[in-house]
C-alpha cells in the first residue's frame, strides 16, 4: 500500500518552557470522579490544528498564562490520591504547562495534500515529554510550529482524566478568546468541582452494565475481536471517509417513515455494520458498539454550566454478527437509540457506583468504540488570524473518530484504523450506500433491478 510522505523534522530554536498561571490560583487537591479516574482514560487527547497565518508566539504564551488562571488544574500535576489505592487526584500547585516552539521546513498547502490520513511522522508536531510514568507528564503540553509559508501548527495534549471532549474544547476556546481579547472575561467560567458525581454511600448497583461485561460467544469462546484486528500479520492503517450532508440524509431516509433518527445514529449504525462486514468474524459472536454520550443534562440535578471534567459515559449497543449483518440499517439505529434512552440518572448513578466497587474497564474484546468530535465546535477555533485549515488528531488509533469537516458544519469525516489487508474492503462498504438501498428493498419485498 502506498505510504504517505513523512513530515520533515522540527527544529527547536529554544528549549520548551513552563507557562504558569498569570496570577495566583487556588492551591488544593482536586477530587477526580469515578468517570474521570477510569483506567482507559489515562492518556492525553491530542489535537492538531493548522492555520494559514501564524500568531505571535509571545501573544500565545501570554494568553495561555491568562487562561490557566481559570483552568488552573491544567497547571497542576496528577498524583495518587492521599487515600491510597489506585485513585488519582490533581495537585493544583501551579507548576505550569509545557510550551514548545518549533520550526518546520514545510508549507500549509503541502500538509493539506496529505492531511486526510495521519501517519506516525505527525507525532513530531507535539513535543515528547520524557517521564517515568503517566503521572509525571504535565496535564497540558502545547507545541506551536511555525511553517516556511508563514502558517503554523498548534498541537495540544490535554490529559483525559481532567476533561472530556466538551471540556477540552471549552478550554481551547477560552485560550483563543484571551488571545484576541486579553482584557476581557469568559462568558462561561469553568466549574471544577466533581462532587455531583460522587458515588452513593453505600454504592447501589441496580442495573446490568453491558459496556463493562464481557460476553462469551456461543461457538467461539476464545475469540477476541480486538486481538483479531491487530494480529493479521499487517499493521493497522488509517482510513478516512467523508460523509457530506446529502449522504447522511440518504442514510437517514433509509429509516423513515417508520423510524426517525439523528445523523449520529444513522452514521454510527452504518460504520458499525461496515466494520463487521469487513472483519467477517464468526456469525454468532456477540459484538458491541460503544459510543460517548454527554450526561451533563441527563443527571438530576444537571451538572452546572461550564462543568469542567468528564461528563460522559459509554452507551452500549449489542448484537450478534449475523443479526447486524443480515438486518437493515434500521436495526442498528434502533439498538443505538435504545442504548441512549437507557442512560438516565438512575442508570448513570448505578454505573458510578459500579466503578467505586469494582473499577471495571470497558469491554473492548468485541467492540467498536466511536468518539464524536464533530459537534464540539473544535473546527471553529480562531486565535485571531482566521479559523483552521485543518483540525484532527495527531494519530489514528483503533478507536473510530467522527471529525468535523472544515467549511461544512453538517458533514462528518470518519477516521479509524483497520488491518492493512482489509482497507479496500472496508472503504468499499463505507462508500457503497447502494448496498443499504438494496437491503431495504429486499426487506420490503421489492424487485431489485
Amino acid at each position: 500500500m502506498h505510504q504517505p510522505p513523512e513530515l520533515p523534522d522540527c527544529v527547536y530554536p529554544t528549549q520548551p518552557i513552563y507557562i504558569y498561571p498569570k496570577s495566583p490560583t487556588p492551591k488544593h487537591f482536586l477530587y477526580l470522579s469515578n468517570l474521570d479516574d477510569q483506567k482507559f482514560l489515562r492518556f492525553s487527547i491530542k489535537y492538531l490544528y493548522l492555520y494559514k497565518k501564524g500568531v505571535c508566539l509571545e501573544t500565545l504564551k501570554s494568553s495561555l498564562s491568562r487562561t490557566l488562571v481559570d483552568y488552573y488544574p491544567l497547571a497542576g500535576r496528577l498524583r495518587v490520591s492521599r487515600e491510597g489505592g489506585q485513585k488519582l487526584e490533581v495537585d493544583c500547585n501551579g507548576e505550569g504547562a509545557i510550551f514548545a516552539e518549533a520550526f518546520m521546513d514545510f508549507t500549509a498547502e503541502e500538509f493539506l495534500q496529505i492531511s486526510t490520513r495521519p501517519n506516525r511522522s505527525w507525532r513530531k508536531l507535539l513535543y515528547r515529554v520524557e517521564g517515568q510514568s503517566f503521572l509525571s507528564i504535565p496535564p497540558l503540553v502545547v507545541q506551536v510550529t511555525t511553517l516556511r509559508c508563514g502558517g503554523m501548527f498548534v498541537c495540544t495534549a490535554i490529559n483525559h482524566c481532567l476533561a472530556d471532549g466538551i471540556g477540552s474544547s471549552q478550554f481551547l476556546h477560552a485560550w483563543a478568546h484571551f488571545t484576541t481579547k486579553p482584557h476581557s472575561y469568559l462568558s462561561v467560567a469553568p466549574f471544577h468541582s466533581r462532587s455531583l458525581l460522587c458515588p452513593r454511600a453505600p454504592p447501589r448497583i441496580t442495573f446490568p452494565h453491558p459496556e463493562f461485561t464481557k460476553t462469551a460467544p456461543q461457538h467461539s469462546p476464545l475469540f477476541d475481536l480486538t486481538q483479531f484486528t491487530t494480529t493479521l500479520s499487517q499493521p493497522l492503517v488509517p482510513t478516512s471517509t467523508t460523509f457530506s450532508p446529502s449522504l447522511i440524509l440518504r442514510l437517514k431516509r433509509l429509516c423513515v417513515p417508520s423510524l426517525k433518527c439523528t445523523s449520529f445514529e444513522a452514521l454510527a449504525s452504518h460504520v458499525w455494520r461496515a466494520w463487521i462486514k469487513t472483519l467477517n468474524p464468526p456469525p454468532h459472536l456477540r459484538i458491541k458498539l460503544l459510543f460517548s454520550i454527554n450526561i451533563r443534562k441527563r443527571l438530576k440535578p444537571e451538572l452546572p454550566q461550564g462543568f469542567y471534567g468528564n461528563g460522559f459515559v459509554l452507551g452500549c449497543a449489542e448484537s450478534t454478527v449475523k443479526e447486524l449483518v443480515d438486518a437493515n440499517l434500521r436495526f442498528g439505529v434502533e439498538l443505538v437509540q435504545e442504548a441512549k434512552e437507557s442512560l438516565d440518572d438512575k442508570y448513570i448513578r448505578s454505573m458510578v457506583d459500579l466503578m467505586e466497587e469494582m473499577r471495571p474497564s470497558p469491554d473492548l474484546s468485541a467492540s467498536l468504540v466511536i468518539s464524536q468530535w464533530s459537534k464540539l465546535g473544535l473546527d471553529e477555533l480562531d486565535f485571531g488570524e482566521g479559523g483552521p485549515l485543518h483540525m484532527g488528531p495527531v494519530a489514528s488509533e483503533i478507536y473510530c473518530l467522527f471529525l468535523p469537516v472544515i467549511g461544512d458544519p453538517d458533514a462528518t469525516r470518519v477516521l479509524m484504523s483497520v488491518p492493512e489487508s482489509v482497507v479496500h474492503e472496508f472503504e468499499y462498504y463505507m462508500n457503497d450506500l447502494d448496498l443499504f438501498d438494496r437491503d431495504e428493498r429486499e426487506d420490503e419485498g421489492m424487485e431489485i433491478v
Side-chain angles (χ1 to χ4, degrees), residues 16-25 27 61-69 71-72 74-77 93-99 140:
I17 63 172
Y18 285 104
I19 302 293
Y20 306 103
K22 193 170 187 177
S23 58
T25 56
K27 300 292 190 291
K61 293 175 189 176
S62 176
S63 60
L64 180 58
S65 176
R66 171 62 186 87
T67 309
L68 289 176
V69 174
Y71 289 85
Y72 64 88
L74 288 173
R77 295 294 182 268
N93 53 21
E95 289 188 7
I98 288 184
F99 188 101
L140 175 62

PDB file of all heavy atoms in Angstrom, residues 16-25 27 61-69 71-72 74-77 93-99 140:
ATOM      1  N   PRO A  16      11.855  23.916  25.431  1.00  0.00           N
ATOM      2  CA  PRO A  16      10.483  24.176  25.900  1.00  0.00           C
ATOM      3  C   PRO A  16      10.490  24.838  27.269  1.00  0.00           C
ATOM      4  O   PRO A  16      11.413  24.637  28.073  1.00  0.00           O
ATOM      5  CB  PRO A  16       9.857  22.777  25.955  1.00  0.00           C
ATOM      6  CG  PRO A  16      10.651  21.976  24.978  1.00  0.00           C
ATOM      7  CD  PRO A  16      12.058  22.502  25.071  1.00  0.00           C
ATOM      8  N   ILE A  17       9.485  25.628  27.534  1.00  0.00           N
ATOM      9  CA  ILE A  17       9.394  26.346  28.804  1.00  0.00           C
ATOM     10  C   ILE A  17       8.092  25.971  29.517  1.00  0.00           C
ATOM     11  O   ILE A  17       7.184  25.365  28.926  1.00  0.00           O
ATOM     12  CB  ILE A  17       9.443  27.875  28.596  1.00  0.00           C
ATOM     13  CG1 ILE A  17       8.219  28.336  27.776  1.00  0.00           C
ATOM     14  CG2 ILE A  17      10.743  28.290  27.930  1.00  0.00           C
ATOM     15  CD1 ILE A  17       8.066  29.845  27.682  1.00  0.00           C
ATOM     16  N   TYR A  18       7.996  26.345  30.784  1.00  0.00           N
ATOM     17  CA  TYR A  18       6.752  26.195  31.527  1.00  0.00           C
ATOM     18  C   TYR A  18       5.975  27.510  31.462  1.00  0.00           C
ATOM     19  O   TYR A  18       6.552  28.594  31.617  1.00  0.00           O
ATOM     20  CB  TYR A  18       7.023  25.830  32.986  1.00  0.00           C
ATOM     21  CG  TYR A  18       7.460  24.399  33.180  1.00  0.00           C
ATOM     22  CD1 TYR A  18       8.792  24.080  33.430  1.00  0.00           C
ATOM     23  CD2 TYR A  18       6.535  23.359  33.119  1.00  0.00           C
ATOM     24  CE1 TYR A  18       9.201  22.763  33.603  1.00  0.00           C
ATOM     25  CE2 TYR A  18       6.927  22.037  33.292  1.00  0.00           C
ATOM     26  CZ  TYR A  18       8.258  21.749  33.530  1.00  0.00           C
ATOM     27  OH  TYR A  18       8.651  20.446  33.696  1.00  0.00           O
ATOM     28  N   ILE A  19       4.684  27.387  31.214  1.00  0.00           N
ATOM     29  CA  ILE A  19       3.774  28.537  31.276  1.00  0.00           C
ATOM     30  C   ILE A  19       2.994  28.418  32.574  1.00  0.00           C
ATOM     31  O   ILE A  19       2.299  27.418  32.815  1.00  0.00           O
ATOM     32  CB  ILE A  19       2.803  28.570  30.077  1.00  0.00           C
ATOM     33  CG1 ILE A  19       3.567  28.615  28.760  1.00  0.00           C
ATOM     34  CG2 ILE A  19       1.846  29.753  30.205  1.00  0.00           C
ATOM     35  CD1 ILE A  19       4.343  29.889  28.531  1.00  0.00           C
ATOM     36  N   TYR A  20       3.107  29.441  33.417  1.00  0.00           N
ATOM     37  CA  TYR A  20       2.450  29.439  34.720  1.00  0.00           C
ATOM     38  C   TYR A  20       1.200  30.319  34.678  1.00  0.00           C
ATOM     39  O   TYR A  20       1.106  31.237  33.853  1.00  0.00           O
ATOM     40  CB  TYR A  20       3.404  29.954  35.797  1.00  0.00           C
ATOM     41  CG  TYR A  20       4.719  29.223  35.835  1.00  0.00           C
ATOM     42  CD1 TYR A  20       5.878  29.800  35.296  1.00  0.00           C
ATOM     43  CD2 TYR A  20       4.813  27.961  36.409  1.00  0.00           C
ATOM     44  CE1 TYR A  20       7.089  29.135  35.321  1.00  0.00           C
ATOM     45  CE2 TYR A  20       6.029  27.278  36.434  1.00  0.00           C
ATOM     46  CZ  TYR A  20       7.151  27.863  35.880  1.00  0.00           C
ATOM     47  OH  TYR A  20       8.345  27.192  35.903  1.00  0.00           O
ATOM     48  N   PRO A  21       0.242  30.085  35.548  1.00  0.00           N
ATOM     49  CA  PRO A  21      -0.914  30.986  35.634  1.00  0.00           C
ATOM     50  C   PRO A  21      -0.456  32.420  35.873  1.00  0.00           C
ATOM     51  O   PRO A  21       0.490  32.671  36.636  1.00  0.00           O
ATOM     52  CB  PRO A  21      -1.706  30.442  36.819  1.00  0.00           C
ATOM     53  CG  PRO A  21      -1.333  28.988  36.898  1.00  0.00           C
ATOM     54  CD  PRO A  21       0.110  28.936  36.483  1.00  0.00           C
ATOM     55  N   LYS A  22      -1.112  33.363  35.239  1.00  0.00           N
ATOM     56  CA  LYS A  22      -0.692  34.767  35.267  1.00  0.00           C
ATOM     57  C   LYS A  22      -0.849  35.393  36.636  1.00  0.00           C
ATOM     58  O   LYS A  22      -0.141  36.362  36.976  1.00  0.00           O
ATOM     59  CB  LYS A  22      -1.508  35.545  34.229  1.00  0.00           C
ATOM     60  CG  LYS A  22      -0.979  36.924  33.921  1.00  0.00           C
ATOM     61  CD  LYS A  22      -1.696  37.514  32.720  1.00  0.00           C
ATOM     62  CE  LYS A  22      -1.059  38.831  32.294  1.00  0.00           C
ATOM     63  NZ  LYS A  22      -1.710  39.372  31.062  1.00  0.00           N
ATOM     64  N   SER A  23      -1.781  34.895  37.421  1.00  0.00           N
ATOM     65  CA  SER A  23      -1.990  35.407  38.777  1.00  0.00           C
ATOM     66  C   SER A  23      -2.196  34.228  39.715  1.00  0.00           C
ATOM     67  O   SER A  23      -2.418  33.100  39.265  1.00  0.00           O
ATOM     68  CB  SER A  23      -3.191  36.363  38.806  1.00  0.00           C
ATOM     69  OG  SER A  23      -4.358  35.711  38.340  1.00  0.00           O
ATOM     70  N   PRO A  24      -2.118  34.438  41.024  1.00  0.00           N
ATOM     71  CA  PRO A  24      -2.235  33.319  41.973  1.00  0.00           C
ATOM     72  C   PRO A  24      -3.531  32.541  41.791  1.00  0.00           C
ATOM     73  O   PRO A  24      -4.595  33.103  41.512  1.00  0.00           O
ATOM     74  CB  PRO A  24      -2.184  34.020  43.337  1.00  0.00           C
ATOM     75  CG  PRO A  24      -1.429  35.288  43.073  1.00  0.00           C
ATOM     76  CD  PRO A  24      -1.820  35.720  41.701  1.00  0.00           C
ATOM     77  N   THR A  25      -3.440  31.232  41.944  1.00  0.00           N
ATOM     78  CA  THR A  25      -4.588  30.336  41.792  1.00  0.00           C
ATOM     79  C   THR A  25      -4.758  29.495  43.055  1.00  0.00           C
ATOM     80  O   THR A  25      -3.822  29.369  43.857  1.00  0.00           O
ATOM     81  CB  THR A  25      -4.394  29.410  40.580  1.00  0.00           C
ATOM     82  OG1 THR A  25      -3.143  28.700  40.730  1.00  0.00           O
ATOM     83  CG2 THR A  25      -4.365  30.200  39.286  1.00  0.00           C
ATOM     84  N   LYS A  27      -4.682  26.693  45.724  1.00  0.00           N
ATOM     85  CA  LYS A  27      -3.771  25.574  45.978  1.00  0.00           C
ATOM     86  C   LYS A  27      -4.524  24.532  46.806  1.00  0.00           C
ATOM     87  O   LYS A  27      -4.803  24.751  47.982  1.00  0.00           O
ATOM     88  CB  LYS A  27      -2.517  26.057  46.726  1.00  0.00           C
ATOM     89  CG  LYS A  27      -1.713  27.109  45.975  1.00  0.00           C
ATOM     90  CD  LYS A  27      -1.057  26.533  44.730  1.00  0.00           C
ATOM     91  CE  LYS A  27      -0.058  27.503  44.115  1.00  0.00           C
ATOM     92  NZ  LYS A  27      -0.694  28.696  43.526  1.00  0.00           N
ATOM     93  N   LYS A  61       1.707  32.747  24.334  1.00  0.00           N
ATOM     94  CA  LYS A  61       2.181  32.391  25.680  1.00  0.00           C
ATOM     95  C   LYS A  61       1.459  33.210  26.738  1.00  0.00           C
ATOM     96  O   LYS A  61       1.041  32.684  27.779  1.00  0.00           O
ATOM     97  CB  LYS A  61       3.695  32.633  25.778  1.00  0.00           C
ATOM     98  CG  LYS A  61       4.547  31.722  24.924  1.00  0.00           C
ATOM     99  CD  LYS A  61       6.015  32.147  25.016  1.00  0.00           C
ATOM    100  CE  LYS A  61       6.883  31.409  24.025  1.00  0.00           C
ATOM    101  NZ  LYS A  61       8.287  31.895  24.068  1.00  0.00           N
ATOM    102  N   SER A  62       1.315  34.517  26.478  1.00  0.00           N
ATOM    103  CA  SER A  62       0.663  35.394  27.451  1.00  0.00           C
ATOM    104  C   SER A  62      -0.804  35.009  27.638  1.00  0.00           C
ATOM    105  O   SER A  62      -1.304  34.956  28.768  1.00  0.00           O
ATOM    106  CB  SER A  62       0.770  36.849  26.986  1.00  0.00           C
ATOM    107  OG  SER A  62       0.074  37.712  27.858  1.00  0.00           O
ATOM    108  N   SER A  63      -1.498  34.729  26.545  1.00  0.00           N
ATOM    109  CA  SER A  63      -2.917  34.368  26.655  1.00  0.00           C
ATOM    110  C   SER A  63      -3.095  33.003  27.299  1.00  0.00           C
ATOM    111  O   SER A  63      -4.066  32.779  28.035  1.00  0.00           O
ATOM    112  CB  SER A  63      -3.580  34.404  25.276  1.00  0.00           C
ATOM    113  OG  SER A  63      -2.967  33.498  24.386  1.00  0.00           O
ATOM    114  N   LEU A  64      -2.155  32.087  27.066  1.00  0.00           N
ATOM    115  CA  LEU A  64      -2.226  30.788  27.734  1.00  0.00           C
ATOM    116  C   LEU A  64      -2.041  30.963  29.238  1.00  0.00           C
ATOM    117  O   LEU A  64      -2.748  30.336  30.046  1.00  0.00           O
ATOM    118  CB  LEU A  64      -1.169  29.842  27.171  1.00  0.00           C
ATOM    119  CG  LEU A  64      -1.122  28.440  27.785  1.00  0.00           C
ATOM    120  CD1 LEU A  64      -2.465  27.729  27.642  1.00  0.00           C
ATOM    121  CD2 LEU A  64      -0.006  27.617  27.146  1.00  0.00           C
ATOM    122  N   SER A  65      -1.120  31.822  29.618  1.00  0.00           N
ATOM    123  CA  SER A  65      -0.899  32.099  31.033  1.00  0.00           C
ATOM    124  C   SER A  65      -2.166  32.666  31.677  1.00  0.00           C
ATOM    125  O   SER A  65      -2.537  32.279  32.796  1.00  0.00           O
ATOM    126  CB  SER A  65       0.264  33.084  31.194  1.00  0.00           C
ATOM    127  OG  SER A  65       0.452  33.444  32.541  1.00  0.00           O
ATOM    128  N   ARG A  66      -2.834  33.553  30.951  1.00  0.00           N
ATOM    129  CA  ARG A  66      -4.098  34.111  31.471  1.00  0.00           C
ATOM    130  C   ARG A  66      -5.183  33.034  31.561  1.00  0.00           C
ATOM    131  O   ARG A  66      -5.944  32.995  32.539  1.00  0.00           O
ATOM    132  CB  ARG A  66      -4.552  35.257  30.547  1.00  0.00           C
ATOM    133  CG  ARG A  66      -5.958  35.775  30.842  1.00  0.00           C
ATOM    134  CD  ARG A  66      -6.066  36.369  32.242  1.00  0.00           C
ATOM    135  NE  ARG A  66      -7.433  36.735  32.588  1.00  0.00           N
ATOM    136  CZ  ARG A  66      -8.325  35.890  33.131  1.00  0.00           C
ATOM    137  NH1 ARG A  66      -7.972  34.631  33.388  1.00  0.00           N
ATOM    138  NH2 ARG A  66      -9.536  36.299  33.420  1.00  0.00           N
ATOM    139  N   THR A  67      -5.257  32.147  30.575  1.00  0.00           N
ATOM    140  CA  THR A  67      -6.277  31.092  30.566  1.00  0.00           C
ATOM    141  C   THR A  67      -6.083  30.130  31.730  1.00  0.00           C
ATOM    142  O   THR A  67      -7.052  29.633  32.319  1.00  0.00           O
ATOM    143  CB  THR A  67      -6.240  30.331  29.235  1.00  0.00           C
ATOM    144  OG1 THR A  67      -6.287  31.257  28.144  1.00  0.00           O
ATOM    145  CG2 THR A  67      -7.417  29.367  29.119  1.00  0.00           C
ATOM    146  N   LEU A  68      -4.832  29.880  32.093  1.00  0.00           N
ATOM    147  CA  LEU A  68      -4.543  28.943  33.187  1.00  0.00           C
ATOM    148  C   LEU A  68      -4.962  29.489  34.549  1.00  0.00           C
ATOM    149  O   LEU A  68      -4.998  28.733  35.517  1.00  0.00           O
ATOM    150  CB  LEU A  68      -3.053  28.588  33.197  1.00  0.00           C
ATOM    151  CG  LEU A  68      -2.592  27.699  32.037  1.00  0.00           C
ATOM    152  CD1 LEU A  68      -1.080  27.499  32.094  1.00  0.00           C
ATOM    153  CD2 LEU A  68      -3.307  26.352  32.059  1.00  0.00           C
ATOM    154  N   VAL A  69      -5.286  30.766  34.630  1.00  0.00           N
ATOM    155  CA  VAL A  69      -5.843  31.290  35.884  1.00  0.00           C
ATOM    156  C   VAL A  69      -7.214  30.659  36.126  1.00  0.00           C
ATOM    157  O   VAL A  69      -7.536  30.227  37.239  1.00  0.00           O
ATOM    158  CB  VAL A  69      -5.950  32.828  35.834  1.00  0.00           C
ATOM    159  CG1 VAL A  69      -6.654  33.358  37.080  1.00  0.00           C
ATOM    160  CG2 VAL A  69      -4.568  33.450  35.701  1.00  0.00           C
ATOM    161  N   TYR A  71      -8.397  27.949  34.309  1.00  0.00           N
ATOM    162  CA  TYR A  71      -8.265  26.492  34.149  1.00  0.00           C
ATOM    163  C   TYR A  71      -7.023  26.002  34.895  1.00  0.00           C
ATOM    164  O   TYR A  71      -6.196  25.278  34.360  1.00  0.00           O
ATOM    165  CB  TYR A  71      -8.194  26.148  32.659  1.00  0.00           C
ATOM    166  CG  TYR A  71      -9.519  26.334  31.954  1.00  0.00           C
ATOM    167  CD1 TYR A  71      -9.899  27.585  31.459  1.00  0.00           C
ATOM    168  CD2 TYR A  71     -10.402  25.275  31.803  1.00  0.00           C
ATOM    169  CE1 TYR A  71     -11.122  27.766  30.828  1.00  0.00           C
ATOM    170  CE2 TYR A  71     -11.625  25.447  31.176  1.00  0.00           C
ATOM    171  CZ  TYR A  71     -11.983  26.688  30.694  1.00  0.00           C
ATOM    172  OH  TYR A  71     -13.195  26.856  30.078  1.00  0.00           O
ATOM    173  N   TYR A  72      -6.929  26.399  36.146  1.00  0.00           N
ATOM    174  CA  TYR A  72      -5.706  26.159  36.922  1.00  0.00           C
ATOM    175  C   TYR A  72      -5.376  24.690  37.148  1.00  0.00           C
ATOM    176  O   TYR A  72      -4.197  24.351  37.337  1.00  0.00           O
ATOM    177  CB  TYR A  72      -5.769  26.915  38.255  1.00  0.00           C
ATOM    178  CG  TYR A  72      -6.855  26.470  39.197  1.00  0.00           C
ATOM    179  CD1 TYR A  72      -6.630  25.438  40.111  1.00  0.00           C
ATOM    180  CD2 TYR A  72      -8.108  27.074  39.186  1.00  0.00           C
ATOM    181  CE1 TYR A  72      -7.630  25.029  40.982  1.00  0.00           C
ATOM    182  CE2 TYR A  72      -9.109  26.676  40.053  1.00  0.00           C
ATOM    183  CZ  TYR A  72      -8.870  25.646  40.941  1.00  0.00           C
ATOM    184  OH  TYR A  72      -9.845  25.229  41.800  1.00  0.00           O
ATOM    185  N   LEU A  74      -5.093  22.459  35.018  1.00  0.00           N
ATOM    186  CA  LEU A  74      -4.195  22.070  33.923  1.00  0.00           C
ATOM    187  C   LEU A  74      -2.756  22.510  34.176  1.00  0.00           C
ATOM    188  O   LEU A  74      -1.837  22.046  33.495  1.00  0.00           O
ATOM    189  CB  LEU A  74      -4.689  22.659  32.602  1.00  0.00           C
ATOM    190  CG  LEU A  74      -5.957  22.025  32.012  1.00  0.00           C
ATOM    191  CD1 LEU A  74      -6.425  22.811  30.806  1.00  0.00           C
ATOM    192  CD2 LEU A  74      -5.708  20.566  31.648  1.00  0.00           C
ATOM    193  N   ALA A  75      -2.556  23.404  35.133  1.00  0.00           N
ATOM    194  CA  ALA A  75      -1.199  23.810  35.532  1.00  0.00           C
ATOM    195  C   ALA A  75      -0.714  23.014  36.736  1.00  0.00           C
ATOM    196  O   ALA A  75       0.375  23.258  37.248  1.00  0.00           O
ATOM    197  CB  ALA A  75      -1.161  25.306  35.847  1.00  0.00           C
ATOM    198  N   GLY A  76      -1.520  22.065  37.195  1.00  0.00           N
ATOM    199  CA  GLY A  76      -1.150  21.241  38.340  1.00  0.00           C
ATOM    200  C   GLY A  76      -0.519  19.928  37.900  1.00  0.00           C
ATOM    201  O   GLY A  76      -0.012  19.802  36.784  1.00  0.00           O
ATOM    202  N   ARG A  77      -0.562  18.936  38.785  1.00  0.00           N
ATOM    203  CA  ARG A  77       0.036  17.634  38.496  1.00  0.00           C
ATOM    204  C   ARG A  77      -0.855  16.517  39.050  1.00  0.00           C
ATOM    205  O   ARG A  77      -1.357  16.610  40.182  1.00  0.00           O
ATOM    206  CB  ARG A  77       1.440  17.514  39.119  1.00  0.00           C
ATOM    207  CG  ARG A  77       2.479  18.474  38.552  1.00  0.00           C
ATOM    208  CD  ARG A  77       2.789  18.159  37.091  1.00  0.00           C
ATOM    209  NE  ARG A  77       3.821  19.047  36.554  1.00  0.00           N
ATOM    210  CZ  ARG A  77       3.565  20.198  35.921  1.00  0.00           C
ATOM    211  NH1 ARG A  77       2.303  20.610  35.779  1.00  0.00           N
ATOM    212  NH2 ARG A  77       4.552  20.930  35.438  1.00  0.00           N
ATOM    213  N   ASN A  93      -1.055  22.874  42.063  1.00  0.00           N
ATOM    214  CA  ASN A  93       0.111  23.530  42.652  1.00  0.00           C
ATOM    215  C   ASN A  93       0.713  24.610  41.760  1.00  0.00           C
ATOM    216  O   ASN A  93       1.725  25.225  42.120  1.00  0.00           O
ATOM    217  CB  ASN A  93       1.181  22.491  42.988  1.00  0.00           C
ATOM    218  CG  ASN A  93       1.535  21.607  41.792  1.00  0.00           C
ATOM    219  OD1 ASN A  93       1.295  21.991  40.639  1.00  0.00           O
ATOM    220  ND2 ASN A  93       2.081  20.429  42.060  1.00  0.00           N
ATOM    221  N   GLY A  94       0.128  24.842  40.583  1.00  0.00           N
ATOM    222  CA  GLY A  94       0.607  25.915  39.715  1.00  0.00           C
ATOM    223  C   GLY A  94       1.966  25.679  39.096  1.00  0.00           C
ATOM    224  O   GLY A  94       2.644  26.640  38.699  1.00  0.00           O
ATOM    225  N   GLU A  95       2.375  24.410  38.961  1.00  0.00           N
ATOM    226  CA  GLU A  95       3.707  24.134  38.406  1.00  0.00           C
ATOM    227  C   GLU A  95       3.802  24.411  36.915  1.00  0.00           C
ATOM    228  O   GLU A  95       4.898  24.481  36.366  1.00  0.00           O
ATOM    229  CB  GLU A  95       4.107  22.687  38.708  1.00  0.00           C
ATOM    230  CG  GLU A  95       4.423  22.453  40.183  1.00  0.00           C
ATOM    231  CD  GLU A  95       5.007  21.072  40.435  1.00  0.00           C
ATOM    232  OE1 GLU A  95       5.287  20.342  39.449  1.00  0.00           O
ATOM    233  OE2 GLU A  95       5.200  20.720  41.607  1.00  0.00           O
ATOM    234  N   GLY A  96       2.669  24.555  36.253  1.00  0.00           N
ATOM    235  CA  GLY A  96       2.699  25.044  34.882  1.00  0.00           C
ATOM    236  C   GLY A  96       2.504  23.998  33.803  1.00  0.00           C
ATOM    237  O   GLY A  96       2.658  22.795  34.018  1.00  0.00           O
ATOM    238  N   ALA A  97       2.149  24.501  32.607  1.00  0.00           N
ATOM    239  CA  ALA A  97       2.020  23.675  31.404  1.00  0.00           C
ATOM    240  C   ALA A  97       3.276  23.831  30.557  1.00  0.00           C
ATOM    241  O   ALA A  97       3.969  24.854  30.634  1.00  0.00           O
ATOM    242  CB  ALA A  97       0.794  24.112  30.607  1.00  0.00           C
ATOM    243  N   ILE A  98       3.573  22.828  29.757  1.00  0.00           N
ATOM    244  CA  ILE A  98       4.750  22.882  28.886  1.00  0.00           C
ATOM    245  C   ILE A  98       4.386  23.533  27.557  1.00  0.00           C
ATOM    246  O   ILE A  98       3.359  23.218  26.951  1.00  0.00           O
ATOM    247  CB  ILE A  98       5.324  21.473  28.657  1.00  0.00           C
ATOM    248  CG1 ILE A  98       6.007  20.985  29.932  1.00  0.00           C
ATOM    249  CG2 ILE A  98       6.311  21.458  27.492  1.00  0.00           C
ATOM    250  CD1 ILE A  98       6.686  19.643  29.808  1.00  0.00           C
ATOM    251  N   PHE A  99       5.238  24.458  27.117  1.00  0.00           N
ATOM    252  CA  PHE A  99       5.042  25.148  25.843  1.00  0.00           C
ATOM    253  C   PHE A  99       6.333  25.023  25.038  1.00  0.00           C
ATOM    254  O   PHE A  99       7.396  25.468  25.478  1.00  0.00           O
ATOM    255  CB  PHE A  99       4.711  26.625  26.080  1.00  0.00           C
ATOM    256  CG  PHE A  99       4.308  27.379  24.836  1.00  0.00           C
ATOM    257  CD1 PHE A  99       2.978  27.645  24.573  1.00  0.00           C
ATOM    258  CD2 PHE A  99       5.268  27.833  23.935  1.00  0.00           C
ATOM    259  CE1 PHE A  99       2.599  28.354  23.439  1.00  0.00           C
ATOM    260  CE2 PHE A  99       4.910  28.529  22.799  1.00  0.00           C
ATOM    261  CZ  PHE A  99       3.567  28.789  22.547  1.00  0.00           C
ATOM    262  N   LEU A 140      -1.050  19.407  30.618  1.00  0.00           N
ATOM    263  CA  LEU A 140      -1.176  20.163  29.379  1.00  0.00           C
ATOM    264  C   LEU A 140       0.200  20.362  28.746  1.00  0.00           C
ATOM    265  O   LEU A 140       1.112  20.891  29.384  1.00  0.00           O
ATOM    266  CB  LEU A 140      -1.820  21.530  29.635  1.00  0.00           C
ATOM    267  CG  LEU A 140      -1.911  22.480  28.432  1.00  0.00           C
ATOM    268  CD1 LEU A 140      -2.768  21.894  27.324  1.00  0.00           C
ATOM    269  CD2 LEU A 140      -2.448  23.847  28.861  1.00  0.00           C
TER     270      LEU A 140
END
